[in-house]
Amino acid sequence: GEDVEQSLFLSVREGDSSVINCTYTDSSSTYLYWYKQEPGAGLQLLTYIFSNMDMKQDQRLTVLLNKKDKHLSLRIADTQTGDSAIYFCAETLSGGYQKVTFGTGTKLQVIP
Amino acid sequence: GAGVSQSPRYKVTKRGQDVALRCDPISGHVSLYWYRQALGQGPEFLTYFNYEAQQDKSGLPNDRFSAERPEGSISTLTIQRTEQRDSAMYRCASSPGGNTEAFFGQGTRLTVV
């Protein structure tokens, strides 16, 4: 079965880099995602990576995928107070639709 | 509409009552998904529609839960004889189709007392 695990909490100072880690168990994953959830808001897709890629960079965000270890990370450079939110790692298998398995979420607290 | 719209935003119901949660997807989106998110957890897949056809309902916890999308647009998730354990945030998402980005609504917070 699928299982996605994340640490629950991360605290960083404004301006530092944040690294949020995730492990997953299903080697059949085809897409891996990072979602951001702010209070009272819906889930926002931040970025995603195909399973045949090792890295993806998008402005302040860098996603690293170690498929051998089934480890995914999200690095946020120059973390801002507006980055404070819960970040969910998620995976989906092939099948052509978004039956997504989410992790439990990492709460990022940015200290001014 | 501009985004996925869910109603009501908050629903408090007594145990044993039926509830219907509504999702209005982004116009033209083919695929519609329902997820449930318990407090402190990530969303959990419930069911998925392609147009009006329910393609996957493997995540529905039991037969008290049902969903429909009769005209391939608005969807309703119905929970019969609600129980306290049904209390959660129910999230709807829609996508243009295929394995493309799904856009989530703000959710309906259901509390069963």
Side-chain angles (χ1 to χ4, degrees), chain A residues 13-69:
Chain A
R13 292 208 174 272
E14 190 175 17
D16 288 350
S17 292
S18 310
V19 179
I20 304 172
N21 294 301
C22 167
T23 57
Y24 60 98
T25 56
D26 200 316
S27 56
S28 307
S29 298
T30 54
Y31 295 84
L32 294 134
Y33 306 88
W34 285 104
Y35 283 85
K36 179 182 181 182
Q37 181 179 314
E38 295 178 275
L43 285 162
Q44 176 195 357
L45 178 65
L46 284 179
T47 187
Y48 66 92
I49 190 169
F50 295 112
S51 59
N52 62 358
M53 296 168 65
D54 298 323
M55 184 182 101
K56 181 178 180 182
Q57 186 147 6
D58 184 1
Q59 299 181 330
R60 293 191 296 122
L61 305 178
T62 303
V63 178
L64 294 177
L65 175 61
N66 181 330
K67 201 172 179 186
K68 175 175 166 289
D69 294 338

Side-chain angles (χ1 to χ4, degrees), chain A residues 8 30-31 33 35 37-38 40-45 48 88 92-105, chain B residues 9 31 33 35 37 40-45 48 55-56 58-59 91 95 97-107:
Chain A
L8 291 178
T30 54
Y31 295 84
Y33 306 88
Y35 283 85
Q37 181 179 314
E38 295 178 275
L43 285 162
Q44 176 195 357
L45 178 65
Y48 66 92
F88 290 95
T92 189
L93 307 180
S94 62
Y97 67 97
Q98 287 253 345
K99 182 179 180 179
V100 180
T101 300
F102 287 84
T104 50
Chain B
R9 289 288 309 278
S31 303
Y33 311 84
Y35 286 82
Q37 185 175 10
Q41 300 292 318
E44 185 181 27
F45 173 84
Y48 150 72
Q55 303 281 15
D56 185 340
S58 61
R91 296 194 182 273
S95 77
N99 211 343
T100 54
E101 178 182 357
F103 296 85
F104 281 83
Q106 291 184 296

Side-chain angles (χ1 to χ4, degrees), chain B residues 3-61:
Chain B
V4 178
S5 178
Q6 292 187 245
S7 60
R9 289 288 309 278
Y10 303 91
K11 177 71 178 177
V12 180
T13 191
K14 288 187 178 180
R15 194 173 48 185
Q17 297 292 306
D18 298 351
V19 294
L21 311 180
R22 174 184 163 125
C23 173
D24 196 347
I26 293 172
S27 179
H29 276 194
V30 165
S31 303
L32 185 146
Y33 311 84
W34 283 99
Y35 286 82
R36 177 171 72 170
Q37 185 175 10
L39 204 59
Q41 300 292 318
E44 185 181 27
F45 173 84
L46 294 178
T47 187
Y48 150 72
F49 290 85
N50 209 29
Y51 298 101
E52 72 281 0
Q54 191 172 21
Q55 303 281 15
D56 185 340
K57 55 181 181 178
S58 61
L60 295 177

Side-chain angles (χ1 to χ4, degrees), chain B residues 8-19 21 37 39 79 82-90 108-113:
Chain B
R9 289 288 309 278
Y10 303 91
K11 177 71 178 177
V12 180
T13 191
K14 288 187 178 180
R15 194 173 48 185
Q17 297 292 306
D18 298 351
V19 294
L21 311 180
Q37 185 175 10
L39 204 59
I79 309 172
T82 51
E83 300 178 5
Q84 276 192 312
R85 61 181 170 152
D86 300 333
S87 296
M89 176 75 83
Y90 289 82
T108 294
R109 168 76 67 190
L110 174 67
T111 303
V112 182
V113 298

